[in-house]
Amino acid sequence: MKNMPLQIAALENAMNTSDLDKLKAAAHKLKSSVSTIGLTDCLTILNTIEDNVLQKINLDDLPALVNKITHQCKDALNLLEIEIVKLSKS
């Protein structure tokens, strides 16, 4: 969870520079983090990103997929931080 913001940034940077190899690698790296915290929808999107890059299909869909995954991950991290603060106060 601690590395997720850096992993998300790497994914966004790879998309912004249209570096498909880095995009695939960043998606793969982020999969373990989203798996750990149970974000199955995010895992599915990351698998799609990896598969699309690997097969060089539906590349026009990648920006929307990256946007969706970054928002979902950031939202999940914010919710987790709120819960951690609540738990630390109990």
Side-chain angles (χ1 to χ4, degrees), residues 10-82:
L11 190 75
E12 291 175 310
N13 289 337
M15 186 73 255
N16 290 337
T17 59
S18 300
D19 189 329
L20 295 181
D21 291 332
K22 285 185 180 176
L23 181 64
K24 182 178 165 290
H28 183 77
K29 195 169 191 176
L30 187 54
K31 285 188 340 183
S32 62
S33 295
V34 301
S35 251
T36 300
I37 57 177
L39 300 174
T40 54
D41 289 345
C42 292
L43 186 58
T44 301
I45 295 168
L46 290 167
N47 281 327
T48 300
I49 291 170
E50 265 193 298
D51 291 343
N52 288 4
V53 170
L54 185 64
Q55 297 174 34
K56 298 195 182 337
I57 59 170
N58 301 322
L59 299 179
D60 291 341
D61 295 343
L62 293 175
L65 291 169
V66 169
N67 187 45
K68 186 173 183 177
I69 193 74
T70 56
H71 286 329
Q72 286 184 357
C73 286
K74 287 176 183 179
D75 289 347
L77 283 175
N78 288 335
L79 290 172
L80 284 170
E81 287 176 19
I82 290 168

